[in-house]
Amino acid sequence: SVSPAAVTGIPPVGDPLASMPAPAITAACSSVNYPNPINGGVTLTISGGSCYNVTINGAKNHVTLSPGNFGNVTINGSGNVVSLGAGKYGNVSINGSGGTMTFNPGQFNSMVDNGSPIEVFNSGVYVITNGSLVLNGANGSSGSGVTFYLGPNAGAVTINGSNSASFGDNLTAPGSGSYAGVLIFQDRANSNTITMNGSNSAVLNGAIYAPDAQITMNGNNSLTSTCDILLAASFLMNG
């Protein structure tokens, strides 16, 4: 059901965000593997700039990646506390349970969360270049002043499973700047569907802008939006 009732017969309107510029995308660095194993109970800071591939295994590691360039980052195990400094990354994969992931703005090949950490997004623009933005399982996300941009060659936004705060309770678009009020910006040349599956309770504090894509909600979804704009090529609700 829709409340209030839809008003039909109104004329089409133009794209209100047609002049919004897309963030710049730059080439990724050539990555090498971080030489020291991280297998549990490790506390360390890894300097940015060497373009390391970093794999975190085991439990209760405390790892900080300083601002700079990195390759792929993979977090396994449980109870890990990881902070990604502002910069450029390859594929970021979260597979473990518990712990805390702190993100800072930057460029990411992809961002895939198959685990269940607490996720904190500091303010800024998060650019996804070639892969997808995927949230699976029980995630709690928070952040103020954030915009997620899916580039023309990026994949899609997908939210699966039982998410208590998918694009979460306190995840809010910027209040000023080039992307004021915009939470998700999928490039005008990116037609991949934005999909929400399963039992999701999503609170979206900002515009969802995907002018060439479909937004699909499947299953038992509860969407609360305080955005001024929901713009897509089409919108589908199933279940």
Side-chain angles (χ1 to χ4, degrees), residues 5-13:
V7 178
T8 62
I10 61 174
V13 297

Side-chain angles (χ1 to χ4, degrees), residues 26-169:
T26 59
C29 58
S30 179
S31 55
V32 295
N33 291 331
Y34 183 66
N36 300 318
I38 305 172
N39 290 324
V42 173
T43 299
L44 80 162
T45 298
I46 302 175
S47 176
S50 297
C51 207
Y52 285 130
N53 293 319
V54 178
T55 299
I56 300 171
N57 295 314
K60 297 182 179 180
N61 295 289
H62 288 71
V63 179
T64 299
L65 306 186
S66 297
N69 296 333
F70 287 89
N72 300 327
V73 178
T74 304
I75 298 97
N76 303 313
S78 62
N80 292 299
V81 177
V82 181
S83 177
L84 305 185
K88 189 184 300 180
Y89 292 85
N91 300 310
V92 176
S93 302
I94 306 168
N95 303 310
S97 61
T100 302
M101 282 290 305
T102 301
F103 294 89
N104 284 282
Q107 178 177 299
F108 302 79
N109 185 66
S110 67
M111 190 184 295
V112 177
D113 178 8
N114 291 312
S116 58
I118 296 171
E119 295 175 330
V120 178
F121 291 92
N122 288 326
S123 62
V125 178
Y126 294 81
V127 175
I128 310 295
T129 59
N130 296 102
S132 298
L133 175 62
V134 179
L135 298 179
N136 292 312
N139 301 284
S141 302
S142 65
S144 178
V146 297
T147 297
F148 295 92
Y149 169 72
L150 283 292
N153 298 315
V157 177
T158 304
I159 303 174
N160 295 316
S162 178
N163 295 281
S164 61
S166 304
F167 285 117
D169 293 330

